[in-house]
Amino acid sequence: MIEIENHDLVIIGGGPAGLAAAYGAYAAGLKDILIIERDDHLGGILNQCIHNGFGLHRFKEELTGPEYADRYIKMLADTSVKIASDTMAIDLSKDHFVTVVSAKEGYRKIHGKAIILAMGCRERSRGAIAIPGDRCAGIYTAGAAQKYCNIDGYLVGKRIVILGSGDIGLIMARRMTLEGAKVLADVELCPYSNGLNRNIVQCLNDYDIPLYLSHTVTDIISDDRNKRVKQVVISKVDEHNKPIPGSEITFDCDCLLLSVGLIPENELSKKAGVELDNRTKGPVVCDNLETTVDGIFACGNVLQVHDLVDNVSAEGERAGKNAADYISNGQKEVSLVKAVPGDGIGYLCPQFIRRDLVTDYVDLFFRVRRPTGQVKIKVTAEGKEILSFPRLRVVPSEMESIRIKKTDMKDYSELTVSLLQEGQK
């Protein structure tokens, strides 16, 4: 018979979202908190992000990833928060039982009065996007290459092509250049970059690395002798993303890095019966970040892919505070308003708003489908416009948000958020 270990709050994931959630819950008065982390140290992805640019919003100063993580680790050091590191959560039930395994303590079950999901994301691999060509050595996801370089001390290649202009790919273009490698090109399928504009400037433009928009990799050629990447062929694509014959460009290289998107780690969420949004690939949540399963909350990149870790931390602290309120006061019967993404909007989060808000407002987060200048974010209900928010420019790489006041919702059962270009009605 396995003895059950009980805690008030169990947080799965000790990265930026999980650390912030623990801090938010503790600050709200909760003392019995356990963080489950599969690595042997806290910090998650931040530990391999040795570049600066973190913390400007949260700590009002510029920090590296490890420094940012260390701030939260130190903030928790003098609290009663417990850490189960080098421990892998392999199952989660809807009644809050977490099954974990570790080399030190073996197989055990943990129960929490509430659960916070903070497992983060994983990268899309070559198999997920079906790149043609030889299957050979020298092909890495950008995040894996970042870990090899920044933590393990290995240079993954000397002549490098990068597919995808996501932020990790852009940052690795600069990092590889600083390590002495030659980055030949950053290749992007879309007609626009998917990274933050500051990263395009600081990581590509400052190092004269060319960005090939509306291009993709159409062949990978290996060296017969050592079975490693020898050449990468890219081609221009048409408006349907189909390669255009005759537009091929061949690069002699020994490494291809893939920065082609992130997938929220929601295997445990599925096991618990949590409903997932087919747009975000993360849990469906209310404005208090509670999922469709009573007492299970979600925050960070497992919920929606963020571009700033400061926003991850803010969301994590809110999840911790709301989980503490749930444990103290229990589940409340609420009337919900559904938030629906309309024209030009990729997704909305949260997907539901409690009509009886604890606060006077709720922030809706979203990404647009394409870059657009001089637009209006329109909120409609029952066929009429109730709110509008002007924007000079919006891009898919940057998360946007709008604030809905409690008084704005009235008795509406559904709100639709749409993108209205200048001149449209």
Side-chain angles (χ1 to χ4, degrees), residues 4 35 74 80 133 143 156 159 170 198 223 233 257 259 326:
I4 305 298
I35 298 175
K74 287 179 177 176
S80 58
V156 295
R159 293 177 59 82
L170 295 173
R198 73 181 189 194
D223 187 321
V233 181
L257 299 186
S259 177
Y326 169 87

Side-chain angles (χ1 to χ4, degrees), residues 101-331:
V101 292
S102 68
K104 184 178 179 181
E105 299 189 55
Y107 177 96
R108 57 195 173 122
K109 279 187 175 289
I110 300 169
H111 180 264
K113 294 177 182 177
I115 304 290
I116 294 181
L117 307 172
M119 294 88 72
C121 282
R122 65 176 180 270
E123 295 179 280
R124 292 187 186 277
S125 64
R126 176 183 179 176
I129 58 174
I131 299 176
D134 295 339
R135 303 192 71 81
C136 51
I139 304 172
Y140 305 88
T141 60
Q146 186 181 59
K147 181 179 183 296
Y148 284 136
C149 180
N150 295 344
I151 294 180
D152 300 329
Y154 296 110
L155 188 62
V156 295
K158 294 182 179 179
R159 293 177 59 82
I160 298 169
V161 172
I162 298 174
L163 175 62
S165 60
D167 289 311
I168 298 177
L170 295 173
I171 288 165
M172 282 308 290
R174 176 178 62 187
R175 184 72 183 132
M176 292 292 94
T177 302
L178 294 174
E179 287 294 327
K182 175 65 175 176
V183 179
L184 304 172
D186 192 324
V187 183
E188 173 55 56
L189 179 67
C190 298
Y192 51 85
S193 172
N194 283 299
L196 293 172
N197 188 61
R198 73 181 189 194
N199 285 333
I200 297 170
V201 173
Q202 296 173 5
C203 300
L204 295 186
N205 298 352
D206 287 356
Y207 297 92
D208 296 322
I209 298 170
L211 174 62
Y212 290 83
L213 298 175
S214 298
H215 282 74
T216 192
V217 172
T218 49
D219 200 7
I220 299 171
I221 302 166
S222 65
D223 187 321
D224 291 336
R225 184 166 57 90
N226 58 24
K227 303 301 180 185
R228 187 179 176 90
V229 174
K230 179 183 178 182
Q231 291 180 322
V232 167
V233 181
I234 70 170
S235 301
K236 190 174 180 60
V237 298
D238 60 22
E239 63 273 16
H240 304 294
N241 292 334
K242 300 295 184 183
I244 300 172
S247 65
E248 297 85 1
I249 304 172
T250 300
F251 294 98
D252 296 322
C253 60
D254 61 0
C255 182
L256 173 65
L257 299 186
L258 306 177
S259 177
V260 289
L262 299 169
I263 304 171
E265 291 268 18
N266 273 298
E267 285 69 25
L268 289 176
S269 309
K270 293 176 185 176
K271 289 183 177 183
V274 170
E275 182 184 346
L276 301 184
D277 187 315
N278 61 6
R279 294 170 182 255
T280 64
K281 309 304 180 186
V284 171
V285 295
C286 290
D287 58 278
N288 66 341
L289 302 177
E290 188 176 15
T291 69
T292 53
V293 176
D294 181 23
I296 297 182
F297 298 76
C299 60
N301 282 357
V302 79
L303 176 62
Q304 56 178 330
V305 178
H306 293 71
D307 39 53
L308 295 176
V309 73
D310 303 68
N311 293 341
V312 170
S313 296
E315 190 171 84
E317 290 187 20
R318 283 199 298 120
K321 177 179 178 295
N322 291 327
D325 179 69
Y326 169 87
I327 292 167
S328 300
N329 301 311
Q331 179 77 339

Side-chain angles (χ1 to χ4, degrees), residues 70-82:
D70 190 58
R71 289 290 179 94
Y72 269 102
I73 292 169
K74 287 179 177 176
M75 287 158 61
L76 294 176
D78 295 328
T79 70
S80 58
V81 174
K82 300 179 182 67

Side-chain angles (χ1 to χ4, degrees), residues 356-369:
D356 185 22
L357 285 171
V358 176
T359 58
D360 291 330
Y361 61 86
V362 62
D363 292 322
L364 288 180
F365 296 89
F366 61 94
R367 289 183 189 272
V368 298
R369 292 190 175 278

Side-chain angles (χ1 to χ4, degrees), residues 12-21 35-37 41-46 69 72 118 312:
I12 305 175
L19 292 171
I35 298 175
I36 298 171
E37 170 54 47
H41 48 269
L42 298 171
I45 192 69
L46 288 171
Y72 269 102
V312 170

